[in-house]
Amino acid sequence: MDIRITRESLRLAGACYGVDKINALVPEAGVNLDDGLALDVPTEDKHWVLCCAAGVPDRILREHACWCARQALNAERAAGRKPDQRSWHAIEVAERFARGEATRDELAAASDAARDAAWAASVAASAAASAASAAASAAARAAASAASAAASAAARDAARDAAWAAARDAAWDAAWDAAWDKQLGDLVARIRNAKE
């Protein structure tokens, strides 16, 4: 499949980079897929370019979006949470739609059901967050009542928490980068394997 990324396609797609940066990155004649992947920009920007500014067929983008959604639900499952069946069903219908095996009405119904599932999950998460905040507040009040004994422990705990937060942030950054690399890899493989 012939992919061409041009200055004009980037501007028309609404690239967040300014004209000067686009002009510095992309020659007037544009770039092909391999040259686009070699650009000195973050992986998530390369992913955006392929999704929005490279003329990748809708079918490939739909299949890729389904793959990404399935990855997210699998990550939830791996974390010990049970994603709502409506979300899995929506992916299945979207995959069938991408292959021309489901109607727009079926897709819309599955999408609405998945949206309802997401809303229910966010409400439940908000309730859990409220309960966690209340518990943290109660713990802080209890700790404040024993402030004289807690001063040195608080300093020690703050140092430990700062170290933990730094490690967590580094792990988050690495996981974020790995996820973008994996998503870009899937999309590039789909483009290269497309028969057109």
Side-chain angles (χ1 to χ4, degrees):
M1 167 179 301
D2 184 36
I3 294 296
R4 199 90 194 134
I5 302 159
T6 65
R7 294 173 177 176
E8 183 68 14
S9 69
L10 291 167
R11 284 192 288 271
L12 289 174
C16 64
Y17 293 169
V19 172
D20 290 340
K21 179 143 183 171
I22 290 173
N23 290 347
L25 287 168
V26 179
E28 183 66 38
V31 296
N32 63 21
L33 176 62
D34 291 326
D35 291 338
L37 292 172
L39 292 175
D40 186 21
V41 298
T43 303
E44 55 264 36
D45 292 352
K46 293 174 187 178
H47 187 267
W48 178 87
V49 167
L50 292 180
C51 288
C52 301
V56 174
D58 287 346
R59 177 188 52 80
I60 291 173
L61 295 175
R62 285 188 182 110
E63 290 170 352
H64 174 63
C66 291
W67 180 87
C68 290
R70 194 175 294 282
Q71 294 296 306
L73 292 180
N74 284 331
E76 285 293 300
R77 184 187 289 157
R81 294 180 285 277
K82 185 177 179 187
D84 193 295
Q85 276 305 116
R86 294 173 288 188
S87 299
W88 292 106
H89 178 70
I91 294 171
E92 291 164 6
V93 173
E95 288 171 333
R96 288 186 321 159
F97 182 80
R99 293 188 305 264
E101 299 168 0
T103 67
R104 286 198 182 274
D105 288 342
E106 289 173 306
L107 183 63
S111 176
D112 289 345
R115 191 174 307 112
D116 291 346
W119 176 256
S122 70
V123 168
S126 294
S130 295
S133 295
S137 177
R141 283 193 308 275
S145 67
S148 61
S152 63
R156 184 190 66 238
D157 291 347
R160 183 197 64 226
D161 291 347
W164 174 252
R168 185 186 63 234
D169 289 347
W172 170 258
D173 290 346
W176 183 261
D177 291 346
W180 276 116
D181 288 344
K182 192 173 181 180
Q183 289 179 12
L184 181 63
D186 175 77
L187 183 54
V188 169
R190 289 177 190 281
I191 292 168
R192 288 193 170 142
N193 292 332
K195 294 177 174 86
E196 286 190 38

